């Protein structure tokens, strides 16, 4: 017998439909009640700044102030110490190369120079005496050789004649033996004297070279010693403008003391202090721009100083092309340092909001125009005017970019 099958009241499909309906109702309730309970603050529209997010050309740069310094600076250091006897040029004056600036007096140095000169002159005289003795010995040996050769010129034919006469028994044996002994003695004497002359001549050449080198070295030392007194007059190393501390007669100057500097007038550069925050982005060759007296000039970073002082480091910038006229040492110049190339980006103006938000969120104005809601965002690079938007905002949206100090932690602003 067949049994009647009863249908289940709670099927899976029915349960899913009910759960879906409940979720829809919950969302509607959240939108109607919970979202309306978000913290709100009524503000004065006239006290806020609303800016539009737009797409445009972006270049990361920083604005710094540089100080005009001489491109080439030569320092004036006292090679020798002493007392100032005369000041030829005052600080701020133009000087020519090798023009005297100050004169010093040092009695101890003068005595030392005189003593060294006497010692060197004595050594030079001894070298010259030794060379003269070598020359005299050389001439003496040549004279001995000449005398022996002259005697042989006489004895050789006499020995030949006596040999013939003795063979014919026309002269005595005694006379022949005397002539033979004299002739052979002078032959041996010529041989020994020539060997001695050859050996001495070789040694003499080496000694003369050594003596000459020694004498030249002593003469150079003598010139150097005499120039020590020249160091008592401090001269300008180049044409330029002189910068010194107050110098006056009778003032004592220590050896190695820096007395001032001479700056070359024809070229200038900028020395710029940059925040250490940008140390990773500042590289040699990086370009910059400066506007001086209405003219725009290009510069490049030529040197980076490694020392960081009070959170800043220094860089030198050289002008590319023409150098501006009428620049003065110590003059301040506004410089724009370009940290990246220009590109098209979504941009938002820089404003007071960043101090409160750190760039993590912002109030976005809704389409109605009378309400702004907090929204999370992500910022990228920054220049003086704009932030690069990485996410959270689209072109055309409007945001509040003025200070958020009076808004508390409210999520919605209305006006």
């Amino acid at each position: 017998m067949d049994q009647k099958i009863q249908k289940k009241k709670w099927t899976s499909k029915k349960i899913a439909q009910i759960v879906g309906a409940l979720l829809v109702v919950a969302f509607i309730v959240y939108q109607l009640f919970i979202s309306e309970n978000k913290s709100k603050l009524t503000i004065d529209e006239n006290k806020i700044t609303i800016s539009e997010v737009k797409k445009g050309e972006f270049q990361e740069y920083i604005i710094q102030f540089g100080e005009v310094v001489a491109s080439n600076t030569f320092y004036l250091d006292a090679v020798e110490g002493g007392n100032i006897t005369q000041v030829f040029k005052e600080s701020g004056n133009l000087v020519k190369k090798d023009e005297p600036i100050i004169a010093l007096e040092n009695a101890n140095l003068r005595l030392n120079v005189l003593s060294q000169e006497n010692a060197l002159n004595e050594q030079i005289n001894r070298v010259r005496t030794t060379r003269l003795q070598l020359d005299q010995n050389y001439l003496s040996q040549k004279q001995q050789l000449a005398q022996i050769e002259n005697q042989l010129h006489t004895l050789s034919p006499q020995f030949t004649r006596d040999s013939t006469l003795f063979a014919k028994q026309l002269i005595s044996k005694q006379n022949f033996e005397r002539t033979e002994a004299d002739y052979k003695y002078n032959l041996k004497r010529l041989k020994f004297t020539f060997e001695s002359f050859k050996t001495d001549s070789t040694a003499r050449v080496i000694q003369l070279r050594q003596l000459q080198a020694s004498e030249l070295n002593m003469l150079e030392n003598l010139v150097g010693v005499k120039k020590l007194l020249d160091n008592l007059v401090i001269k300008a190393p180049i044409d330029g403008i002189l910068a010194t501390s107050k110098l006056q007669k009778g003032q004592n100057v220590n050896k190695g003391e820096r007395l001032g500097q001479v700056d070359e007038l024809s070229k200038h550069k900028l020395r710029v202090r940059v925040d250490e925050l940008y140390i990773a982005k500042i590289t040699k060759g990086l370009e910059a721009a400066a506007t001086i007296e209405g003219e725009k000039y290009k510069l490049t970073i030529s040197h980076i100083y490694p020392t960081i002082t009070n959170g800043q480091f220094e860089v030198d910038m050289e002008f590319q092309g023409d150098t501006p006229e009428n620049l003065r040492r110590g003059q301040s110049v506004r410089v724009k340092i370009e940290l990246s190339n220009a590109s098209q980006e979504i941009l938002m103006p820089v404003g007071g909001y960043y101090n409160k938000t750190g760039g993590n969120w912002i109030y976005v104005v809704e389409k109605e125009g009378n309400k702004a809601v907090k929204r999370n965002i992500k910022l990228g690079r920054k220049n003086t005017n704009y932030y690069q938007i990485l996410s959270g905002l689209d072109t055309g949206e409007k945001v509040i970019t003025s200070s958020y100090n009076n808004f508390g932690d409210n999520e919605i602003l209305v006006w």
Side-chain angles (χ1 to χ4, degrees), residues 238-252:
I238 59 168
D239 295 349
I241 186 167
L242 177 65
T244 64
S245 56
K246 181 64 177 177
L247 300 174
Q248 53 189 2
K249 289 184 179 181
Q251 179 180 337
N252 182 61

Side-chain angles (χ1 to χ4, degrees), residues 12-59:
S12 298
K13 183 177 180 181
K14 193 172 184 179
I15 293 173
Q17 289 175 345
I18 293 173
V19 170
L22 289 174
L23 290 174
V24 171
V25 171
F27 177 76
I28 294 173
V29 170
Y30 173 80
Q31 292 295 324
L32 292 176
F33 298 100
I34 299 178
S35 64
E36 288 298 323
N37 290 330
K38 286 184 178 180
S39 57
K40 294 182 181 179
L41 177 67
T42 301
I43 61 173
D44 185 351
E45 182 181 5
N46 297 321
K47 294 183 178 180
I48 61 174
T49 301
I50 297 176
S51 303
E52 183 179 350
V53 177
K54 59 183 181 179
K55 190 169 185 178
E57 185 178 89
F58 176 83
Q59 184 178 36

Side-chain angles (χ1 to χ4, degrees), residues 235-298:
K235 300 178 181 179
I238 59 168
D239 295 349
I241 186 167
L242 177 65
T244 64
S245 56
K246 181 64 177 177
L247 300 174
Q248 53 189 2
K249 289 184 179 181
Q251 179 180 337
N252 182 61
V253 174
N254 295 322
K255 185 175 182 178
E257 182 178 345
R258 178 155 295 173
L259 302 176
Q261 64 189 54
V262 177
D263 296 329
E264 188 177 5
L265 291 176
S266 58
K267 290 185 178 181
H268 292 87
K269 63 183 177 182
L270 297 183
R271 184 155 298 159
V272 183
R273 295 190 65 83
V274 183
D275 195 289
E276 65 176 326
L277 175 67
Y278 301 101
I279 193 167
K281 296 183 178 181
I282 298 297
T283 58
K284 190 175 180 179
L286 200 65
E287 294 186 347
T291 301
I292 302 173
E293 296 182 353
E295 295 289 334
K296 189 174 181 180
Y297 296 91
K298 289 186 176 181

Side-chain angles (χ1 to χ4, degrees), residues 190-203:
L190 176 63
K191 178 183 177 182
F192 296 149
T193 304
F194 180 75
E195 289 178 353
S196 176
F197 173 75
K198 186 169 64 172
T199 303
D200 289 349
S201 295
T202 303

Side-chain angles (χ1 to χ4, degrees), residues 55-187:
K55 190 169 185 178
E57 185 178 89
F58 176 83
Q59 184 178 36
E60 189 178 8
Y61 62 85
I62 55 175
I63 302 296
Q64 301 290 325
F65 283 89
E67 180 185 357
V68 176
V69 297
S71 184
N72 291 317
T73 296
F74 291 81
Y75 295 102
L76 301 175
D77 295 334
V79 180
E80 299 291 343
N83 295 320
I84 297 177
T85 58
Q86 192 168 358
V87 179
F88 300 102
K89 291 287 184 177
E90 299 288 347
S91 181
N93 289 345
L94 294 176
V95 292
K96 295 290 184 181
K97 184 178 180 180
D98 295 329
E99 187 175 8
I101 297 174
I102 62 171
L104 304 174
E105 181 54 45
N106 187 327
N108 290 332
L109 177 64
R110 290 189 180 277
L111 290 173
N112 184 41
V113 167
L114 184 60
S115 175
Q116 290 185 57
E117 283 182 346
N118 291 334
L120 285 169
N121 283 325
E122 288 179 1
Q123 293 177 26
I124 292 171
N125 289 334
R126 283 196 293 269
V127 167
R128 290 174 178 174
T129 300
T130 303
R131 185 168 57 194
L132 180 61
Q133 290 173 349
L134 288 172
D135 290 340
Q136 288 175 345
N137 184 56
Y138 174 76
L139 292 174
S140 177
Q141 287 181 320
K142 288 191 72 176
Q143 187 177 9
Q144 288 179 18
L145 285 171
Q147 290 175 351
I148 296 170
E149 289 174 350
N150 182 58
Q151 289 179 354
L152 285 172
H153 281 304
T154 303
L155 291 172
S156 180
Q158 183 179 354
F159 175 72
T160 302
R161 288 192 303 268
D162 286 357
S163 296
T164 303
L165 293 173
F166 178 71
K168 295 179 180 182
Q169 296 183 353
L170 295 177
I171 61 172
S172 65
K173 183 178 181 181
Q174 184 178 2
N175 288 337
F176 172 73
E177 288 177 346
R178 186 166 48 248
T179 301
E180 183 183 27
D182 289 343
Y183 176 68
K184 290 182 178 180
Y185 167 72
N186 280 284
L187 283 176

